[in-house]
Amino acid sequence: MRKLLPLLLALLMLACNRTEHNSASDPAYAMLERVAELNAGGDKPGALALADSALLMHPADTTRCWLLSEKAVTLVDMGRMADAVGVAQGAYRLAEKLHDVDAMLNLRGTMGIAYRRLGKTDSALVQYKEGIQMALAEHNAEYEIYLNNCVTVLYSESNRFAEALHYAAKTEKEALAANDTIQRLSARANIGGIYMKQNQYRAALNAMLPCWQEVKSVGYNVLTLKFLSIILKSYSSLDDYQSVAQYMQYADRVMDGMAASSNGVLGILEVKADLLGKQHRYAEQLALVDSIIASGTHNQAMPLDKMLRTKAQCLENMHRNAEALSFMNRAFAVLDSVKQSDIEKSMSEFTVKYKTLETEMALAESRRENAEKANQVLWLVVAVVLLLAVVGIMLYRRRIAAQRALLHEKQSYIDGLESERERIAKDLHDGVCNDILATKLLLATDSIHAEQYLDDVWRNVRQLSHELMPPCFSTLSLDAVVRSYVAAISRNGSRDILLNIDPAFDWGSLPQHVAYEIYRIIQESTANAMKYGDHTGIDISLTVNDGNLSVCVVNGIGTRPADGRHTSNHGIGQQTLQKRADRIGAKLTVDEADMRHRLMLIYRITTT
């Protein structure tokens, strides 16, 4: 886009001057218009030949000035920078004589581009800044914006990105004020290009994509391809090939019918070639580069030396090293004179160094291999150390977690013992002690009732002894221990107990600690039922269904305390039951309905 700006401005000036010239009566002026069209279309050799022919016709000074200006632009695009500077300087002197400010501004931009490509950054900057000052003095907003764009590119190529962004933002602001949509969007594209040059591809896309719909609505293909080139390169660098494919389809539609030498078209073709290389589709990449070289459509957007280098790289990737070296040498040969001299100097220095170091290449290769092996060993040692460190940390954490779990289990066990002791103490105090006191008092007055009380004391003490005796699950299963317990308390004859145990389940497969806690829950809930329930029977069931072990203890509700609460639900016994259930990860529920108290425990059986 930046190369077409002076051409577009030149065509605009030619159109404005049609009132002073007649193409039919002034053949040189008609040829000038044709030169500008050929330049815009990308036919640089044709434009140069036609410009030289028109200059031989000794045209009027104004026409001659613009012919020289167009010739300078053509030489720049052909890579003949030194020739372009000479022609532009002559044209500038003529423009000064004619006081043609537009031609002078145009030539300032052309000379700045030529100096920049010659590596004379300071000279280029002088041309741009003097042109900008002239444009400001003449209130020529169009050329001011164009030259600011040139300065943006200069700073960007010099890797002075802060200054580049400054001029790009200034250009965008001025174009907005001038209501120049194309120039504003071109400045926005320059901003995206600056970010892309810094490998900030996401920032480049963030700068470009919000304007993409506006660019499409403008319908200016050159600007559209400039946007697409940056967008495609950024997505390609981010390996977002889905987005690349999406925008490439639009680029193909825009390029249809455009000249193959167009800068925008060549930019898209460059993206396609790079993308094929990234995808290791070297044969297709080689065919694309060959087609561009064969058509002679290369220019400064994708110069021949760059395409030859791309082809050489492609051949190298295809292991065709001899051909790759040949095309790399051809690439060096077609560079412009300044670059060629630098490369020749570098090649001469390399030749001397190569001859000097040729005898040491084997030793250097051996050292390199040894160094690589040493690095591999070092990295292996580092990796092993890191792995050992990670394993050590993991083992340490597991050990700490195990210790914490053990401490928690021990603390829970201690809490359970304390609760058991508290409950038994309460039973001894409220039950056995009171019965003994009553028996002592009755011995003096009523020996028959005293004997009955002694029987009650005997049964209560026997019941407590059964509760205190720990079951042995190392030799017995849960169903056997429960049956033994129920048989023992049934012999006392105080209450009928109906026991239902699922015979199909292997009760010996339960972990010992789970069987123990379930047994204690059955034992304590049964004791609560006998102590606080009515004189109806007690139903105990142990069933297994769908991997769930269910324990249910049901008894009739006895006399409630004055506050209406059932002791077994809210006292020490209920808290102990809940702790035991939590210890094995079981769900415990207690409810009352139809004058029946129902305790339900559900434990999910895990398989290993």
Side-chain angles (χ1 to χ4, degrees):
M1 177 67 188
R2 61 177 180 269
K3 296 181 197 174
L4 288 179
L5 284 173
L7 301 179
L8 295 173
L9 292 172
L11 288 172
L12 178 63
M13 292 306 305
L14 293 175
C16 294
N17 290 334
R18 282 185 183 274
T19 56
E20 302 175 13
H21 296 275
N22 187 299
S23 299
S25 60
D26 189 349
Y29 184 79
M31 294 172 72
L32 169 60
E33 291 181 317
R34 182 56 182 160
V35 169
E37 291 174 0
L38 292 174
N39 255 336
D43 187 359
K44 305 303 177 181
L48 181 61
L50 188 59
D52 286 336
S53 298
L55 288 170
L56 292 175
M57 298 173 65
H58 302 290
D61 286 344
T62 301
T63 302
R64 181 179 181 82
C65 178
W66 281 99
L67 279 168
L68 291 171
S69 178
E70 285 298 310
K71 182 177 179 179
V73 171
T74 305
L75 291 169
V76 167
D77 288 343
M78 294 177 71
R80 297 167 57 180
M81 306 303 166
D83 293 339
V85 170
V87 173
Q89 287 175 342
Y92 191 85
R93 288 191 293 269
L94 184 56
E96 281 184 314
K97 177 182 176 182
L98 297 171
H99 302 289
D100 190 337
V101 176
D102 290 311
M104 294 166 65
L105 290 171
N106 191 3
L107 288 163
R108 288 287 187 184
T110 302
M111 285 189 287
I113 294 173
Y115 280 130
R116 174 173 59 82
R117 292 179 180 171
L118 285 169
K120 299 180 179 180
T121 304
D122 293 339
S123 297
L125 189 58
V126 168
Q127 295 295 330
Y128 292 153
K129 288 197 171 182
E130 288 186 2
I132 290 172
Q133 291 176 0
M134 185 182 300
L136 289 171
E138 296 293 331
H139 303 288
N140 192 322
E142 291 83 1
Y143 270 103
E144 179 189 357
I145 295 170
Y146 158 60
L147 290 168
N148 278 330
N149 267 325
C150 291
V151 173
T152 300
V153 176
L154 174 65
Y155 280 128
S156 178
E157 290 187 353
S158 301
N159 295 331
R160 297 170 63 176
F161 301 117
E163 293 97 327
L165 285 172
H166 167 75
Y167 273 94
K170 180 180 179 182
T171 303
E172 186 177 34
K173 181 179 179 181
E174 290 174 351
L176 180 64
N179 198 26
D180 192 335
T181 302
I182 293 179
Q183 296 282 12
R184 174 173 56 81
L185 293 175
S186 179
R188 173 57 54 170
N190 282 338
I191 292 174
I194 293 167
Y195 285 127
M196 184 184 70
K197 189 173 176 62
Q198 299 177 81
N199 299 327
Q200 298 180 23
Y201 304 113
R202 187 59 60 187
L205 291 171
N206 291 338
M208 305 286 285
L209 293 179
C211 302
W212 172 237
Q213 295 300 326
E214 186 178 8
V215 170
K216 291 198 296 185
S217 66
V218 169
Y220 182 35
N221 287 347
V222 175
L223 179 64
T224 302
L225 290 180
K226 181 177 182 179
F227 262 72
L228 284 171
S229 178
I230 298 172
I231 291 172
L232 287 169
K233 289 179 182 178
S234 297
Y235 273 131
S236 177
S237 299
L238 292 171
D239 295 331
D240 187 350
Y241 298 117
Q242 183 177 356
S243 298
V244 170
Q246 174 188 347
Y247 283 94
M248 188 62 75
Q249 291 178 358
Y250 195 91
D252 289 335
R253 293 197 298 269
V254 175
M255 290 191 299
D256 187 25
M258 293 187 65
S261 60
S262 167
N263 292 344
V265 172
L266 290 174
I268 301 301
L269 293 179
E270 180 184 8
V271 174
K272 285 188 174 182
D274 290 341
L275 186 60
L276 289 172
K278 284 186 175 182
Q279 296 173 344
H280 306 295
R281 297 161 61 183
Y282 301 122
E284 296 175 63
Q285 182 188 27
L286 183 62
L288 177 58
V289 173
D290 279 339
S291 66
I292 298 173
I293 295 174
S295 63
T297 56
H298 50 82
N299 65 10
Q300 288 302 112
M302 194 173 182
L304 180 59
D305 66 279
K306 182 176 181 179
M307 287 188 290
L308 291 172
R309 291 198 304 272
T310 301
K311 182 173 182 178
Q313 183 65 51
C314 182
L315 289 168
E316 182 183 4
N317 290 331
M318 297 172 70
H319 306 294
R320 295 162 60 178
N321 297 328
E323 295 176 73
L325 178 60
S326 174
F327 280 99
M328 185 62 73
N329 289 330
R330 285 184 57 188
F332 292 157
V334 299
L335 291 174
D336 62 69
S337 58
V338 173
K339 292 183 179 179
Q340 181 66 37
S341 63
D342 292 339
I343 290 175
E344 287 178 354
K345 180 180 178 182
S346 299
M347 290 181 67
S348 298
E349 293 175 353
F350 175 77
T351 301
V352 174
K353 292 179 181 179
Y354 180 78
K355 290 181 179 179
T356 303
L357 300 175
E358 187 175 19
T359 57
E360 301 179 10
M361 289 181 62
L363 179 59
E365 180 66 19
S366 177
R367 290 175 179 173
R368 185 186 64 80
E369 291 178 356
N370 291 336
E372 287 183 355
K373 290 180 180 178
N375 286 335
Q376 291 175 358
V377 172
L378 177 61
W379 281 112
L380 180 61
V381 171
V382 171
V384 170
V385 170
L386 290 176
L387 180 61
L388 291 175
V390 171
V391 172
I393 293 173
M394 292 177 62
L395 292 175
Y396 175 75
R397 289 182 176 179
R398 291 179 63 179
R399 181 180 177 185
I400 294 299
Q403 289 178 350
R404 289 177 178 173
L406 181 60
L407 288 175
H408 178 72
E409 183 178 353
K410 290 180 178 180
Q411 184 63 44
S412 299
Y413 179 74
I414 292 172
D415 292 342
L417 290 179
E418 291 295 329
S419 299
E420 291 286 336
R421 292 177 62 185
E422 185 177 354
R423 184 183 66 81
I424 292 171
K426 187 174 184 297
D427 287 343
L428 288 173
H429 180 272
D430 296 343
V432 176
C433 291
N434 288 336
D435 289 342
I436 293 174
L437 179 60
T439 301
K440 180 180 178 181
L441 295 174
L442 286 173
L443 283 174
T445 58
D446 189 349
S447 60
I448 297 175
H449 284 88
E451 184 178 354
Q452 293 176 353
Y453 266 94
L454 284 175
D455 289 339
D456 290 340
V457 171
W458 175 78
R459 281 192 295 270
N460 288 337
V461 172
R462 182 179 176 84
Q463 177 68 28
L464 285 174
S465 68
H466 279 292
E467 293 182 18
L468 289 173
M469 181 158 311
C472 181
F473 289 100
S474 60
T475 57
L476 297 175
S477 59
L478 176 63
D479 58 333
V481 175
V482 172
R483 285 192 178 94
S484 175
Y485 168 71
V486 171
I489 61 176
S490 295
R491 283 196 294 268
N492 294 335
S494 60
R495 196 77 55 85
D496 292 333
I497 299 178
L498 178 61
L499 178 63
N500 178 28
I501 298 179
D502 190 345
F505 180 66
D506 181 12
W507 295 96
S509 63
L510 286 175
Q512 291 187 20
H513 73 283
V514 173
Y516 175 80
E517 298 297 345
I518 293 176
Y519 169 73
R520 285 303 191 191
I521 290 172
I522 294 173
Q523 186 184 50
E524 185 161 342
S525 60
T526 303
N528 288 337
M530 295 177 65
K531 183 174 182 180
Y532 300 108
D534 60 11
H535 293 286
T536 61
I538 301 173
D539 297 333
I540 302 174
S541 65
L542 286 83
T543 58
V544 177
N545 187 22
D546 293 333
N548 290 323
L549 189 157
S550 301
V551 176
C552 185
V553 179
V554 181
N555 63 278
I557 299 175
T559 305
R560 295 179 181 274
D563 59 3
R565 297 181 303 163
H566 197 289
T567 308
S568 64
N569 285 344
H570 301 276
I572 298 173
Q574 179 64 23
Q575 296 176 16
T576 303
L577 291 174
Q578 186 61 55
K579 287 182 180 180
R580 291 189 182 280
D582 293 341
R583 203 168 298 152
I584 60 174
K587 181 180 179 182
L588 179 71
T589 57
V590 178
D591 57 64
E592 295 177 355
D594 299 329
M595 297 302 293
R596 300 287 285 174
H597 179 274
R598 182 172 180 267
L599 178 143
M600 175 66 74
L601 177 78
I602 298 177
Y603 170 74
R604 182 66 181 175
I605 300 174
T606 58
T607 58
T608 57

